[in-house]
Amino acid sequence: VPSFLPDGQLFRIFNVLKSDDGVTAPAHPIFFDSKDDCLLIDVRPTGKTGQQALDILTAGTKYSGSSDIPGTSTAYYQLKNLMEALTGEDENSFINRWGGEVLYNNYEIVINNRLGADNGVGLLYGKNIPENGMSVETDLSGVVTRIYPKAYNGRMMSGTLYVDSPNINAYPTVKQKVMEFADVRLAEDISGTEDTEGLVVCADQTALNAALRQKCQEQFSAGIDAPAVTIACDMMLLADTANYADLKDLETVSLGDTVHC
């Protein structure tokens, strides 16, 4: 099908509904095929940038990846399909380890720090939002305000076993979760020949406590203690109207663009 990307995009139809009104055929981007035909037996990008990790995950397959994420991270994937490894909800997935925003371009996945641009496009009542054309959903189901961190080999902090969010009192209940940070290890848990690149090696329990506390703070800084807010807006295409014909280039919106509501 045509797309805002330069090339036409391939999709895989996964359901067909025929009725008197016609045929409805929802489809996924062709890259979603990797959920079925690309299984990672044991793949471990260690201390890699976003691009290096994608190169490792897609090596030897018909799929490829592109990323501008410079930060390094580590993740282990055993018996995971490629889609799970890249965009799954597991804390070990690429988007949870490296971050980024996702774009599918046929058999390539692009995961950059951000997609699109801010061209000043706005959505405003009385201008280009129709009546009843906006909804706001606030989802608290994924909020975590107390983390019980676990390092490699099941190691935990001594003393107080958890780290609290600064926002813990913003909710009527404490929202607890056990999170594993396999890249944090005690020195005694590392064999003499093991590559430690990308690992946080702790000499003793005190250092382990500090490393796990830092990992928890990073989770809170990333927003795990805040609700997920989704705003859906219908946008009237003013570029299609006579009054805005001269300004139609200013109203162009692509995937990942910032739109001011």
Side-chain angles (χ1 to χ4, degrees), residues 4 23 52 57 131 195:
F4 60 89
V23 179
Q52 291 169 335
L57 290 172
E131 185 178 0
D195 184 4

Side-chain angles (χ1 to χ4, degrees), residues 15-172:
N15 187 30
V16 177
L17 175 62
K18 298 180 180 179
S19 70
D20 291 340
D21 296 329
V23 179
T24 301
H28 289 311
I30 197 70
F31 194 95
F32 279 43
D33 280 3
S34 64
K35 176 175 65 70
D36 299 318
D37 65 10
C38 189
L39 184 66
L40 306 178
I41 304 300
D42 189 353
V43 178
R44 306 187 179 201
T46 303
K48 303 299 184 183
T49 65
Q51 183 62 61
Q52 291 169 335
L54 289 180
D55 288 343
I56 293 171
L57 290 172
T58 58
T61 75
K62 63 184 177 184
Y63 306 100
S64 64
S66 174
S67 176
D68 66 0
I69 298 173
T72 60
S73 190
T74 296
Y76 301 149
Y77 306 106
Q78 293 178 298
L79 298 178
K80 296 277 190 181
N81 69 60
L82 185 57
M83 286 295 295
E84 285 180 300
L86 292 171
T87 62
E89 296 182 357
D90 187 281
E91 64 189 44
N92 209 38
S93 69
F94 183 100
I95 59 171
N96 285 329
R97 287 292 189 186
W98 282 266
E101 298 180 349
V102 178
L103 169 69
Y104 299 103
N105 181 22
N106 287 325
Y107 292 98
E108 177 193 33
I109 187 171
V110 178
I111 309 181
N112 288 339
N113 273 318
R114 70 152 295 169
L115 301 174
D118 184 350
N119 298 314
V121 175
L123 278 173
L124 303 171
Y125 277 118
K127 179 191 176 187
N128 56 356
I129 296 179
E131 185 178 0
N132 298 321
M134 181 172 176
S135 65
V136 181
E137 177 185 1
T138 303
D139 183 5
L140 298 170
S141 62
V143 171
V144 177
T145 58
R146 174 172 290 170
I147 299 175
Y148 285 81
K150 288 176 61 178
Y152 177 79
N153 212 16
R155 305 277 189 180
M156 300 189 71
M157 296 169 60
S158 59
T160 302
L161 299 177
Y162 57 82
V163 178
D164 284 347
S165 158
N167 295 327
I168 193 167
N169 294 321
Y171 304 93

